[in-house]
Amino acid sequence: MNISPPYLLFIGDATDPLSIKMARSAADWCPDQCVGEFALPGCTVTTGLSKMGIQEGANAGAKSFVLGFANSGGTLDPAWIPAILEAMDVGLDIISGLHEKLTNFDPIVNKANSLNRKLTDIRHPSDKFKTGTGRKRSGKRVLTVGTDCSVGKMYTSLSLQRAMEKRQQTCTFRATGQCGILISGAGVAIDCVVSDFISGAVEALSPDNNDNHWDIIEGQGSLSHPAFAGVSLGLLHGAQPDAIVVCHAFGRQHMRGLKEYELPTLEQTISLNEAAAKLTNPNAEVVGISINTSALPEDQAQEQCDAISKQLGLPVADPFRHKLDGILDNFL
């Protein structure tokens, strides 16, 4: 995808840390490509990068102004438009990962045309996909799935890539969401693919490869989330995973955004995902559990991982706190 770092990350007036997931992801995984963050009055969260104005960001070398949001529905708040226009005035291109396109807003389009600035809606694929075939492909694939949305599927996928590369294992991270695309520069935002073509898009994203090559396919949503289970199912069928890593956020009480829906158990999640995956790969199996233990101190985090591992008979780790050797040993 033709996007131009370095980035100035725009986090608006956000108050929910999860709502700036795109900005946080870039700051965590490609900090060398980010010059800082720009926030509006009332913002109470941060990526941890230097705070700076828009002109200051341009002076620091930024080439693109990234709308770092992952809000519910992926909408563009009209209150952000003045900042977007200012960013173009000082020479920056605009990158958005929202569902609502930059090109839907006349002031943004008019400014971009007058200044020859590039507008990139990375969530909206330009490729045309075929329906899935279920044909067995060469190479190996590991897919991350979740008990819920926003539980660390992308972070786990990128951590698996780093750990596998340290073992000299040939592998490729395959981004399926806007955050992963911004980090890797390539991928398909699966949640914007027409439903009939989701599995086919994943087949195209992860084509035939060498027998010893692993594609690490970033998961989306959850089979247990009423809003996003369809995307998760299409990903499972198209990925044809040989190995599945279940991701979970410790301490979460209900499905994100749906207080009346309790989280499934890890046992339920394993059963659901293995059953669905076996349609296109009868040998698919869960090989490990990735737990976001950020709500716990270090010693309790390890205790929880050990307890869950004993309960399920699977390796368990927090990819930010622990090594992933146990999970890798279970499928490499």
Side-chain angles (χ1 to χ4, degrees):
M1 187 167 289
N2 188 19
I3 52 180
S4 302
Y7 309 127
L8 176 61
L9 304 176
F10 178 41
I11 58 175
D13 56 357
T15 57
D16 176 6
L18 287 178
S19 72
I20 62 163
K21 182 173 69 172
M22 186 164 170
R24 286 287 303 272
S25 299
D28 287 344
W29 290 98
C30 54
D32 56 321
Q33 296 182 357
C34 305
V35 302
E37 68 178 31
F38 172 69
L40 296 175
C43 182
T44 60
V45 296
T46 181
T47 64
L49 297 178
S50 299
K51 301 179 185 298
M52 56 182 61
I54 294 175
Q55 182 65 65
E56 188 179 2
N59 294 343
K63 300 296 183 186
S64 297
F65 189 66
V66 175
L67 310 192
F69 310 99
N71 57 27
S72 178
T75 57
L76 193 155
D77 188 333
W80 302 336
I81 292 179
I84 295 170
L85 300 180
E86 182 183 348
M88 287 190 281
D89 280 331
V90 301
L92 305 185
D93 294 328
I94 310 299
I95 298 173
S96 172
L98 298 169
H99 278 298
E100 197 165 21
K101 293 182 177 180
L102 293 165
T103 50
N104 289 349
F105 295 82
D106 289 341
I108 295 175
V109 172
N110 293 338
K111 177 73 72 170
N113 288 339
S114 67
L115 297 176
N116 196 29
R117 303 288 182 252
K118 185 169 58 179
L119 303 178
T120 304
D121 289 296
I122 62 176
R123 203 167 192 161
H124 295 272
S126 57
D127 294 338
K128 292 185 177 180
F129 301 108
K130 299 178 180 179
T131 54
T133 67
R135 179 185 66 81
K136 178 64 177 175
R137 307 193 298 281
S138 58
K140 298 289 188 179
R141 289 159 190 88
V142 55
L143 173 70
T144 52
V145 302
T147 54
D148 192 12
C149 306
S150 303
V151 292
K153 293 180 290 292
M154 185 198 72
Y155 276 61
T156 299
S157 298
L158 289 165
S159 296
L160 286 168
Q161 179 192 28
R162 285 186 177 176
M164 291 167 75
E165 287 175 344
K166 286 183 179 179
R167 291 192 176 198
Q168 308 301 311
Q169 173 66 56
T170 57
C171 61
T172 305
F173 168 69
R174 303 294 187 183
T176 62
Q178 70 275 19
C179 302
I181 292 171
L182 181 67
I183 292 165
S184 65
V188 177
I190 291 298
D191 62 2
C192 282
V193 174
V194 174
S195 58
D196 273 359
F197 302 95
I198 291 175
S199 61
V202 182
E203 290 179 359
L205 181 66
S206 175
D208 286 304
N209 216 311
N210 297 330
D211 288 342
N212 67 341
H213 180 278
W214 281 87
D215 271 348
I216 305 160
I217 302 174
E218 174 194 8
Q220 297 294 329
S222 168
L223 287 182
S224 298
H225 199 295
F228 310 117
V231 171
S232 305
L233 184 62
L235 258 166
L236 273 163
H237 291 163
Q240 297 178 10
D242 301 281
I244 299 169
V245 176
V246 172
C247 304
H248 175 65
F250 181 82
R252 190 171 295 187
Q253 300 300 312
H254 54 76
M255 303 302 287
R256 189 181 179 203
L258 299 174
K259 292 185 178 180
E260 66 273 26
Y261 279 86
E262 295 182 356
L263 259 72
T265 65
L266 285 165
E267 290 90 344
Q268 289 169 332
T269 302
I270 291 169
S271 178
L272 280 171
N273 282 273
E274 286 188 339
K278 288 182 185 297
L279 175 68
T280 53
N281 186 349
N283 298 316
E285 63 177 351
V286 170
V287 298
I289 311 294
S290 171
I291 306 285
N292 178 344
T293 63
S294 57
L296 295 171
E298 178 66 40
D299 58 340
Q300 293 182 30
Q302 187 61 63
E303 289 176 2
Q304 282 295 329
C305 287
D306 291 344
I308 294 170
S309 179
K310 183 177 180 180
Q311 170 190 340
L312 299 176
L314 288 167
V316 178
D318 181 329
F320 260 27
R321 284 175 154 171
H322 312 137
K323 293 183 178 180
L324 298 177
D325 290 338
I327 295 176
L328 294 186
D329 289 342
N330 213 24
F331 70 89
L332 287 183

